[in-house]
């Protein structure tokens, strides 16, 4: 049973093109944290949610494309369902943080429980840090990343300023002046729409 996608009551982009169940989709890694990037695999949550993780193979590709996770994992139906449950829990908690309200208790349990699963193995080489492990360990790593982020009082979490985007991101810009989750995906769209509106008004 798939975990239902929750709706929202809420600058450079790096994306990789992958082939999902319904054709080509983009996985964007712009949120500054793998947990937030996982939550961002559902777009436009307020009006017409678009889920880019429609089957286990999509999740395998997403993990492979995320630079902070292992190069390869295998997802079965059970772990895929767990990943979607974790994704929705992270999104709810991040949105709670953005709006300054108490964390959802059910979502807290999901994230905290997942964080107790086996952890990824790490190895240092001349090429840098390499992680390895199965999908359960990967989900544990994502849950731990979410906990570290959400427990940090100094972390500035924001919801994208584009009306149709509900992605939550970590703003590390000077003065916390970042407005959009990604310039290519959302910033340029907003600027182009504003330009067209000015053109129409000037006619």
């Amino acid at each position: 049973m798939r975990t239902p996608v929750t709706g929202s009551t809420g600058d450079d982009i790096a994306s990789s093109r992958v082939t999902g169940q319904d054709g080509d989709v983009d996985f964007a890694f712009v949120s500054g944290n793998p947990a937030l990037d996982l939550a961002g695999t559902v777009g436009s949550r307020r009006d017409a949610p678009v889920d880019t993780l429609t089957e286990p193979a999509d999740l395998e590709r997403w993990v492979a494309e995320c630079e902070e996770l292992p190069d390869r994992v295998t997802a079965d139906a059970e772990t895929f369902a767990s990943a979607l449950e974790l994704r929705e829990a992270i999104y709810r908690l991040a949105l709670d943080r953005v709006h300054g309200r108490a964390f959802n208790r059910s979502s807290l349990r999901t994230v905290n429980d997942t964080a107790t699963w086996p952890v990824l193995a790490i190895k240092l080489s001349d090429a840098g840090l390499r992680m390895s492990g199965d999908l359960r360990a990967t989900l544990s790593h994502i849950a731990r990343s979410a906990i570290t982020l959400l427990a940090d009082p100094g972390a500035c979490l924001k919801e994208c300023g584009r009306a149709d985007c509900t992605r939550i991101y970590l703003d590390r810009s000077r003065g916390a002046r970042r407005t959009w989750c990604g310039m290519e995906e959302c910033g340029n769209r907003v600027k182009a729409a504003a330009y067209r509106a000015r053109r129409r008004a000037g006619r």
Side-chain angles (χ1 to χ4, degrees), residues 2 5 16 18-29 37-45 48-62 80 84 87-88 167 185:
R2 291 200 59 189
V5 173
S16 302
V18 296
T19 301
Q21 189 175 34
D22 298 318
D24 286 344
V25 297
D26 283 325
F27 290 150
F29 300 94
D37 283 327
L38 178 62
T41 56
V42 177
S44 303
R45 287 174 178 265
V50 177
D51 193 340
T52 60
L53 301 181
T54 60
E55 59 182 0
D58 293 334
L59 179 61
E60 293 172 357
R61 287 188 288 267
W62 181 86
F80 179 62
L84 297 187
R87 177 185 67 181
E88 296 309 303
R167 183 183 293 273
E185 178 66 19

Side-chain angles (χ1 to χ4, degrees), residues 10-176:
D11 274 58
D12 295 327
I13 191 167
S15 63
S16 302
R17 183 164 294 280
V18 296
T19 301
Q21 189 175 34
D22 298 318
D24 286 344
V25 297
D26 283 325
F27 290 150
F29 300 94
V30 296
S31 297
N33 180 279
L36 296 181
D37 283 327
L38 178 62
T41 56
V42 177
S44 303
R45 287 174 178 265
R46 274 187 290 269
D47 302 316
V50 177
D51 193 340
T52 60
L53 301 181
T54 60
E55 59 182 0
D58 293 334
L59 179 61
E60 293 172 357
R61 287 188 288 267
W62 181 86
V63 171
E65 294 295 334
C66 182
E67 294 182 354
E68 299 182 51
L69 299 176
D71 294 334
R72 185 183 298 256
V73 296
T74 300
D76 57 22
E78 182 178 357
T79 50
F80 179 62
S82 295
L84 297 187
E85 182 180 7
L86 176 64
R87 177 185 67 181
E88 296 309 303
I90 290 170
Y91 176 73
R92 284 191 290 267
L93 295 179
L95 197 63
D96 288 340
R97 172 68 184 273
V98 167
H99 290 291
R101 60 196 182 207
F103 287 136
N104 177 274
R105 311 316 290 179
S106 175
S107 298
L108 275 178
R109 284 193 298 273
T110 295
V111 171
N112 287 332
D113 287 349
T114 306
T116 67
W117 292 359
V119 297
L120 293 171
I122 60 174
K123 182 182 293 186
L124 178 65
S125 71
D126 291 334
L129 177 67
R130 181 179 179 83
M131 294 183 173
S132 60
D134 61 11
L135 181 55
R136 282 175 59 84
T138 300
L139 295 180
S140 176
H141 179 81
I142 293 173
R144 288 165 178 259
S145 180
I147 290 171
T148 300
L149 175 65
L150 295 171
D152 181 1
C156 181
L157 270 63
K158 294 181 179 178
E159 192 173 35
C160 183
R162 184 167 70 87
D164 294 337
C165 182
T166 53
R167 183 183 293 273
I168 297 173
Y169 63 92
L170 175 61
D171 186 356
R172 294 192 180 101
S173 66
R174 177 180 253 178

